[in-house]
Amino acid sequence: MSKIEKVLATGKTHTTFSGADTTLRGHNGNLDIELSSPGSAQPAHVFAAIQPHPKAEQLFAGAWSACYTAAVGLVAQERNIVLPADMAVDIEVDLGQTGPAYFLQARLTLRVPGLAHDVATELAHIADSICPYSKATRGNIDVTLNVMTA
């Protein structure tokens, strides 16, 4: 796995989770999506504020973030962990170059204010192990997983 020497573009997303519904926002306001789980009474997808169009890196970060957030909720439910109401996931995906070759790299940050750091770290890693997007990128791109409890 090669390290990026020069970052060309970054896609950033901030995802919040409340029960079965997920809200995904791009850092610069060009992506705002409300997602719901299958069987939810809410609409499956609501898209708003998508002009100018988001970058591919932001769309990838958004899809990954929604999936990872759901994995965190699933693991928390299985382990009887009560997630804080302001839990969020921030994902940044960089497109970059090393020599003439192009690569991706990512940073995931799980924000769970008030949760014990060791519990939050275990939750983050277990969710990462079951999230299909995390599985797809594992060993393919450089990924950093961060946990913030304050």
Side-chain angles (χ1 to χ4, degrees), residues 14-145:
H14 177 78
T15 305
T16 56
F17 177 78
S18 62
D21 298 322
T22 303
T23 301
L24 168 66
R25 291 201 166 74
H27 81 287
N28 56 1
N30 64 358
L31 183 64
D32 190 359
I33 303 173
E34 291 181 31
L35 302 170
S36 59
S37 298
S40 174
Q42 299 297 319
H45 301 89
V46 176
F47 299 93
I50 57 172
Q51 295 294 329
H53 297 290
K55 296 180 256 186
E57 294 77 26
Q58 190 171 38
L59 292 171
F60 182 70
W64 190 356
S65 182
C67 184
Y68 181 76
T69 302
V72 168
L74 180 64
V75 173
Q77 182 180 16
E78 288 175 352
R79 295 177 179 268
N80 294 318
I81 298 170
V82 177
L83 293 171
D86 53 351
M87 182 206 108
V89 172
D90 295 314
I91 296 187
E92 297 174 301
V93 174
D94 298 324
L95 169 65
Q97 254 183 310
T98 299
Y102 293 89
F103 298 97
L104 295 176
Q105 66 185 15
R107 291 166 302 287
L108 283 73
T109 302
L110 174 62
R111 298 178 186 278
V112 282
L115 203 59
H117 196 270
D118 60 331
V119 172
T121 300
E122 181 180 11
L123 179 66
H125 286 283
I126 294 170
D128 184 61
S129 74
I130 67 169
C131 171
Y133 281 80
S134 295
K135 288 179 184 180
T137 59
R138 191 168 292 113
N140 295 312
I141 69 172
D142 185 30
V143 178
T144 302
L145 180 59

